[in-house]
Amino acid sequence: MEPRSTVPRGRLRGLTIAVGVTTLIAALLVGPANAAPSDAAPSDAALTGPAVDRGIPGAALETIASAYREAHPEMSPAAARAAAAEQTRRRQLLSKITQDPATFGGAWFDPPSGVLHVAVTTTAAGSATAALGRDLGIRVQTRLVGRSLAELERSADALRVGTDALGAAADGNVGIDVKENRVVVAVPARRMAALRSVPSADGVTVVARSTVRDVPDVCTSRSNCDDSLRAGLILAPSGCSLGWMAHDTRTPSVRWLMTAGHCSTGVGVTWSTAGTNIGTLRGATNSGRVDVSFIEVTNPTYANDSIGRLYSHTSANRFVRLNGAATSMAQFVVGETACLAANATDLTGTNRCGVIGSVSDAQRRGMVRVDNEDACGGDSGGGWYELNADGTRIALGMHSSSSQSCHDESGHSNFTPLPAIGSISVDV
């Protein structure tokens, strides 16, 4: 069954991301909790330049530490390295405590202090989380909150599709502030006065919408390869970036390519890369958190690909394997790093990285926001991913827009998180 050409409120269901592991948890729980990272320690000088994923053994820890230093210049190289080395253990803790959605209220990491903050809805969950943090040797602070992350997600989703005065004024610009345990609704400043008298649900805050508009990232050309599909290559006719590959679980023999919805040139149009046809665009949506197009892969050269890849100019085959894919919003953590495989990030070079500033940005329709990395024109549709200190890479979403200009490190980028698309599961 093909994705429809129009999907109500941005929902596209029944898809599974092509990656190279059996489950996401297996990718997160790599090695014993207290094992030393496999990456060689970088020099202090290596932590002063832009954070880039070089795609080579030993470079992942350096990339993560550099991203922390870009976002927090006050951090020493040693502190940044320590925060990067503990990342796998933080993910291990989160993979355990998020198994009970009713008690998990969200999490955020503070690199300068090295503290992982976890919101919980019960004192018992807080005690269990603190104990697990001690067992794993990481610093954890818990905060008792009134609403779980799952409850906040349901409230935000209802407002995004709501037809009442607040929902209409928001026009989909609804996000979540996990630190304050609240849903945030961004409305035009001129509507603020009138909306003050409109009753809203408990835990909902109304803010003025930013007047600084993000712009879709579109470009014209890039050198690329065509022997296999991989996140970060340029696509024609749009000039946007190739994102992640997917399967519809109801028709697993059909393979799909995902890019940004606003890149769509119309249903039925044939897309290509490096002059080689890929297939036909079958559906697109650009509504709420979802900005995604689906291209059916019909060229046999690509249709039989069975692993997830992302572009890397430093590897012998010009790609590195994808090791997993996010299946829950609980896996997105403010303060942790994210990297982008996209065609204009660096024409022939490395993928750049930033730090997650919001898991649900009200100013950009509830999309994930990455700070300290402003993507370039042409990056739309590219694959955002989590780079771990052990070198594994977990798909997070597809790039939608950015704020300033190409590589302005004071800017930000926004992307569609994979869990917002629909029922997604990892495919071997």
Side-chain angles (χ1 to χ4, degrees):
M1 180 177 180
E2 297 173 351
R4 297 184 300 175
S5 58
T6 58
V7 182
R9 307 303 300 181
R11 292 282 179 179
L12 289 167
R13 299 194 176 273
L15 293 163
T16 175
I17 303 303
V19 297
V21 294
T22 303
T23 63
L24 174 61
I25 299 302
L28 297 178
L29 305 183
V30 178
N34 295 313
S38 60
D39 301 88
S43 66
D44 289 359
L47 300 185
T48 59
V52 292
D53 178 8
R54 294 172 177 82
I56 54 177
L61 187 141
E62 176 186 342
T63 291
I64 298 166
S66 179
Y68 289 147
R69 289 260 292 164
E70 284 183 6
H72 305 281
E74 71 276 18
M75 291 184 72
S76 68
R81 269 189 222 104
E86 290 178 356
Q87 185 193 62
T88 299
R89 281 177 279 159
R90 291 194 297 273
R91 293 294 182 185
Q92 186 175 358
L93 181 145
L94 287 168
S95 73
K96 291 180 179 294
I97 65 176
T98 55
Q99 293 177 15
D100 184 0
T103 62
F104 179 68
W108 58 99
F109 177 56
D110 180 48
S113 67
V115 173
L116 176 67
H117 298 265
V118 180
V120 295
T121 60
T122 67
T123 54
S127 298
T129 298
L132 183 58
R134 289 192 294 271
D135 290 344
L136 293 174
I138 59 177
R139 287 153 287 183
V140 177
Q141 287 187 6
T142 62
R143 179 185 299 178
L144 191 64
V145 297
R147 291 165 288 272
S148 69
L149 180 61
E151 290 176 307
L152 293 173
E153 284 285 337
R154 287 193 292 270
S155 179
D157 281 341
L159 281 165
R160 290 186 185 109
V161 300
T163 57
D164 60 5
L166 186 56
D171 192 27
N173 290 288
V174 181
I176 295 172
D177 185 342
V178 292
K179 294 181 180 180
E180 298 299 327
N181 195 232
R182 300 182 73 83
V183 172
V184 182
V185 183
V187 302
R190 67 179 185 280
R191 301 288 305 278
M192 287 287 290
L195 289 170
R196 286 194 182 99
S197 61
V198 176
S200 60
D202 184 40
V204 175
T205 298
V206 180
V207 300
R209 190 177 304 165
S210 171
T211 57
V212 178
R213 293 292 88 194
D214 289 358
V215 294
D217 297 315
V218 178
C219 74
T220 58
S221 65
R222 181 189 184 227
S223 298
N224 56 76
C225 50
D226 65 356
D227 59 319
S228 64
L229 299 180
R230 61 203 70 181
L233 297 184
I234 190 169
L235 291 170
S238 70
C240 289
S241 295
L242 192 156
W244 305 118
M245 305 304 298
H247 285 86
D248 187 323
T249 55
R250 296 161 297 185
T251 53
S253 62
V254 179
R255 189 167 175 78
W256 301 98
L257 178 157
M258 292 189 291
T259 187
H262 72 258
C263 294
S264 172
T265 54
V267 173
V269 174
T270 298
W271 284 44
S272 63
T273 183
T276 301
N277 286 344
I278 297 170
T280 303
L281 189 140
R282 299 296 189 189
T285 186
N286 186 12
S287 176
R289 293 184 293 173
V290 180
D291 181 9
V292 181
S293 289
F294 279 83
I295 301 163
E296 182 180 357
V297 180
T298 56
N299 185 332
T301 301
Y302 305 134
N304 294 325
D305 287 349
S306 61
I307 63 172
R309 300 176 173 91
L310 55 101
Y311 181 83
S312 171
H313 86 293
T314 56
S315 63
N317 295 318
R318 297 278 170 166
F319 72 83
V320 289
R321 290 284 297 271
L322 187 64
N323 304 105
T327 59
S328 166
M329 289 305 298
Q331 294 166 232
F332 295 77
V333 178
V334 170
E336 292 289 16
T337 56
C339 303
L340 174 62
N343 74 55
T345 299
D346 191 327
L347 294 183
T348 59
T350 49
N351 297 328
R352 297 171 68 93
C353 308
V355 172
I356 295 178
S358 173
V359 298
S360 185
D361 185 0
Q363 299 290 352
R364 184 57 182 167
R365 296 164 26 189
M367 293 183 180
V368 178
R369 188 185 76 239
V370 179
D371 295 333
N372 306 104
E373 181 47 51
D374 181 17
C376 302
D379 286 344
S380 287
W384 281 96
Y385 61 97
E386 167 193 308
L387 174 67
N388 293 302
D390 60 6
T392 56
R393 295 165 179 81
I394 309 301
L396 299 177
M398 277 76 62
H399 184 70
S400 178
S401 63
S402 55
S403 60
Q404 305 288 332
S405 59
C406 186
H407 296 166
D408 182 342
E409 302 305 333
S410 66
H412 67 260
S413 299
N414 290 90
F415 68 86
T416 294
L418 291 179
I421 300 173
S423 300
I424 295 177
S425 60
V426 171
D427 183 28
V428 177

